[in-house]
């Protein structure tokens, strides 16, 4: 038996909490309609999640006023990225898309207020005494601690993040490490904590590697394990610039359209020649 820990380290934001696919469709449709009918949407938190959410809301609902409020003087302030990516590019692209950005605005509270049209309406108050009214308030701020206490202390760092090998197994010096995997935000790994990386790790690495080991146990198959490559600072800037731009621009990869970001046009056909692969296939070493 093998154990795979796949955890979201942050609390639920304004997203699906349904346990079945049927209920998920009902719940998400409710959210979609609520935003589509809104006159104003406030997204709180200028991290990776808040930026992506605000941009996609404006892209899919151009008629809605979308405002992003962040407590610091620059976006992505907790990600450890350069100003070129966090301050300049992300802010420029958000504004170009039509998202109103409020920096140095820390949310103090948001309370329901009366509305003449019968729609839900909230008044958000910030610590600088500024206020804003919105039909929907989405909080994208969270610094929760991973629920990993059940793992050995030597497998975790001081923040509760799980130490892993590139194949997502626990460190080799942990007893029975080859039977334990961890994927998602709970891992101690480089790169921004976003759903794309977690899905890549969970599907392409953890699930596929576990499957390889199952085949080894059942039929003596020699496993070939996938592994993650560390995300270097220059790669983070490249991916940040490109992924942010993709939020705002519909891309036709088949026709070789390019994306323009900070006066730099990157041809999509050549993008992955510029960024080294994030996952390598390696042979399993006993």
């Amino acid at each position: 038996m093998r154990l795979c820990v796949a955890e979201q380290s942050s609390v639920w934001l304004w997203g699906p909490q349904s346990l079945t696919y049927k209920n998920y469709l009902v719940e998400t449709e409710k959210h979609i309609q609520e935003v589509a009918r809104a006159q104003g949407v406030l997204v709180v938190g200028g991290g990776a999640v808040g930026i992506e959410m605000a941009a996609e809301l404006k892209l899919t609902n151009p008629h809605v006023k979308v405002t992003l409020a962040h407590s610091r003087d620059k976006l992505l302030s907790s990600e450890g990225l350069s100003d070129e990516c966090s301050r300049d590019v992300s802010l420029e692209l958000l504004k170009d898309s039509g998202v109103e950005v409020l920096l140095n605005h820390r949310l103090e509270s948001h309370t329901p207020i009366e509305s003449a049209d019968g729609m839900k309406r909230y008044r958000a108050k910030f610590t600088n005494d500024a206020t804003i009214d919105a039909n929907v308030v989405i909080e994208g701020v969270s610094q929760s601690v991973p629920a990993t206490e059940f793992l050995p202390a030597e497998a975790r760092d001081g923040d509760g993040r799980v130490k892993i090998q590139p194949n997502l197994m626990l460190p080799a010096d942990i007893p029975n490490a080859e039977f334990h995997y961890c994927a998602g935000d709970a891992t101690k790994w480089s790169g921004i904590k976003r759903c794309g990386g977690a899905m890549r790790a969970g599907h392409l690495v953890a699930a596929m590697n576990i499957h390889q080991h199952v085949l080894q146990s059942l039929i003596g198959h020699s496993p070939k394990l996938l592994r993650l490559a560390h995300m270097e600072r220059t790669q983070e800037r490249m991916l940040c610039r490109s992924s942010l731009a993709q939020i705002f621009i519909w891309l036709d990869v088949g026709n070789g359209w390019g994306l323009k970001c900070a006066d730099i046009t990157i041809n999509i056909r050549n993008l992955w020649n510029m960024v080294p692969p994030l996952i390598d296939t390696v042979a399993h070493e006993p």
Side-chain angles (χ1 to χ4, degrees):
M1 179 180 294
R2 301 182 189 277
L3 171 66
C4 179
V5 179
E7 181 186 81
Q8 174 182 344
S9 64
S10 59
V11 297
W12 281 104
L13 305 176
W14 190 79
Q17 302 184 47
S18 303
L19 300 179
T20 67
Y21 179 66
K22 181 178 180 180
N23 290 340
Y24 163 81
L25 293 179
V26 173
E27 183 178 355
T28 52
E29 180 63 25
K30 178 181 177 182
H31 290 326
I32 291 172
Q33 293 302 323
E34 187 174 9
V35 170
R37 293 194 300 266
Q39 296 176 340
V41 174
L42 172 64
V43 179
V44 181
V49 173
I51 290 175
E52 184 172 4
M53 189 173 295
E56 291 183 350
L57 286 173
K58 188 63 179 179
L59 179 66
T60 56
N61 300 275
H63 62 286
V64 177
K65 179 182 179 181
V66 178
T67 303
L68 175 68
H70 188 52
S71 60
R72 304 297 182 88
D73 62 353
K74 61 180 180 179
L75 300 175
L76 295 168
S77 53
S78 63
E79 300 294 352
L81 299 172
S82 67
D83 287 349
E84 179 188 7
C85 180
S86 61
R87 175 176 293 172
D88 301 328
V89 177
S90 54
L91 181 60
E92 178 186 348
L93 288 171
L94 280 173
K95 289 184 175 181
D96 287 347
S97 74
V99 175
E100 181 178 350
V101 181
L102 303 177
L103 298 176
N104 295 309
H105 278 64
R106 182 180 296 276
L107 182 67
E108 180 178 294
S109 63
H110 67 279
T111 56
I113 59 176
E114 293 185 1
S115 174
D117 55 14
M119 295 181 62
K120 291 182 180 179
R121 189 175 295 274
Y122 301 89
R123 177 152 297 162
K125 181 181 179 181
F126 301 92
T127 55
N128 60 3
D129 292 330
T131 61
I132 184 174
D133 294 348
N135 301 106
V136 178
V137 178
I138 303 174
E139 296 191 50
V141 180
S142 176
Q143 295 182 352
S144 299
V145 177
T148 56
E149 297 84 357
F150 62 93
L151 292 172
E154 55 269 25
R156 297 175 280 122
D157 68 3
D159 297 323
R161 305 288 179 187
V162 180
K163 303 172 186 177
I164 57 171
Q165 301 180 58
N167 57 20
L168 272 77
M169 291 182 188
L170 297 189
D173 57 348
I174 303 296
N176 302 312
E178 68 274 17
F179 297 101
H180 297 80
Y181 292 80
C182 185
D185 289 357
T187 59
K188 181 182 180 181
W189 199 258
S190 58
I192 299 176
K193 301 294 185 182
R194 297 179 66 243
C195 60
M199 292 173 64
R200 177 186 293 270
H203 176 69
L204 293 181
V205 179
M208 298 299 293
N209 288 354
I210 290 175
H211 180 251
Q212 288 289 307
H213 278 297
V214 169
L215 293 178
Q216 181 186 34
S217 300
L218 294 177
I219 62 176
H221 170 73
S222 179
K224 294 183 179 180
L225 303 182
L226 297 171
R227 68 181 184 185
L228 291 177
H230 277 286
M231 181 82 72
E232 300 297 334
R233 175 63 61 87
T234 54
Q235 292 175 302
E236 284 191 351
R237 287 201 298 267
M238 173 73 71
L239 292 180
C240 178
R241 294 162 73 91
S242 61
S243 61
L244 280 170
Q246 289 181 50
I247 293 172
F248 301 97
I249 304 173
W250 290 110
L251 300 176
D252 188 336
V253 180
N255 291 333
W257 288 5
L259 62 87
K260 185 175 183 181
C261 178
D263 298 326
I264 298 176
T265 301
I266 303 174
N267 190 294
I268 298 302
R269 293 185 185 276
N270 298 324
L271 180 60
W272 292 111
N273 293 329
M274 302 166 63
V275 182
L278 302 184
I279 289 187
D280 300 320
T281 303
V282 297
H284 172 66
E285 297 181 2

